[in-house]
Amino acid sequence: QKEVEQDPGPLSVPEGAIVSLNCTYSNSAFQYFMWYRQYSRKGPELLMYTYSSGNKEDGRFTAQVDKSSKYISLFIRDSQPSDSATYLCAMRGEYGNKLVFGAGTILRVKS
Amino acid sequence: DGGITQSPKYLFRKEGQNVTLSCEQNLNHDAMYWYRQDPGQGLRLIYYSQIVNDFQKGDIAEGYSVSREKKESFPLTVTSAQKNPTAFYLCASSILGQGASPLHFGNGTRLTVT
């Protein structure tokens, strides 16, 4: 079993839809949770990060962490074609610099 | 502008040849990393370095080698011992010692070995 599970998709939605992207994990020591966005043939860029449980909002993006269920989510409101990309979740424990990544979910927003 | 530069963007090599991928950063970050990305597998850590002249193996170090002679540079050599070298290689850096320190990535090198 992988430490971090993420549905690879692709997930296709119409423009303006609310998108929900999710990851589950098995290591209860994870404390920092991140979402990266990766456009085709580019490197990932940090989109959101949260510490421990709770919600964090930034514009159209909301990151949610439920440590009791070992489940994290990224919500995108009013999705745009420019949101079409691969979304990678990543997480790490309290100490150290090693991140564990999910496999990524391909999102396609159709205009 | 600060960032990470990887070169070349595309690299083609014959089987049995060693090849070196370049990674340079001007973010003044202490830690640097090499990841490999394959379809459906996410990012896997090859090597990382937290300080000049020191580096540690990641999860898939076999068939790879690195050096860290300067803070700004962390080249990766893919040797002929690497059984499946064709992949997208990503270099990253981060501020050392901060648990929530995000990784900054370069735009990758796509290596094709035939």
Side-chain angles (χ1 to χ4, degrees), chain B residues 3-69:
Chain B
I4 298 178
T5 301
Q6 289 188 244
S7 61
K9 190 174 177 68
Y10 298 98
L11 193 52
F12 298 89
R13 280 295 183 268
K14 295 289 188 185
E15 201 172 295
Q17 293 179 335
N18 292 353
V19 59
T20 297
L21 283 59
S22 170
C23 177
E24 304 278 332
Q25 56 102 356
N26 61 4
L27 297 166
N28 201 33
H29 286 172
D30 286 305
M32 296 187 74
Y33 312 78
W34 274 104
Y35 286 89
R36 170 179 172 141
Q37 186 174 33
D38 296 282
Q41 293 199 47
L43 275 64
R44 291 183 290 167
L45 183 64
I46 304 172
Y47 268 99
Y48 65 101
S49 168
Q50 301 189 91
I51 198 168
V52 173
N53 292 324
D54 188 45
F55 47 82
Q56 287 78 41
K57 292 181 179 180
D59 300 317
I60 56 163
E62 185 175 349
Y64 300 98
S65 66
V66 293
S67 63
R68 187 87 185 276
E69 297 176 2

Side-chain angles (χ1 to χ4, degrees), chain A residues 2 8 32 34 36 38 41-46 49 86 88 92-99 101-104, chain B residues 9-10 33 35 37 40-43 45 50 59 88 90 94-103 105-107:
Chain A
K2 293 181 181 178
Y32 294 91
M34 303 172 198
Y36 285 84
Q38 184 177 22
R41 291 184 288 278
K42 297 288 189 183
E45 54 180 331
L46 182 68
Y49 77 86
T86 297
L88 303 161
R92 76 166 104 212
E94 185 70 50
Y95 300 107
N97 289 318
K98 184 178 172 182
L99 276 179
F101 285 85
Chain B
K9 190 174 177 68
Y10 298 98
Y33 312 78
Y35 286 89
Q37 186 174 33
Q41 293 199 47
L43 275 64
L45 183 64
Q50 301 189 91
D59 300 317
F88 189 50
L90 287 160
S94 71
I95 299 171
L96 181 64
Q98 296 185 13
S101 171
L103 293 184
F105 285 90
N107 279 325

Side-chain angles (χ1 to χ4, degrees), chain A residues 10-14 19 80-81 83-85 87 106-110:
Chain A
L11 177 62
S12 293
V13 301
V19 175
Q80 303 294 311
D83 294 327
S84 298
Y87 289 80
I106 298 170
L107 172 66
R108 296 176 182 149
V109 181
K110 299 169 290 185

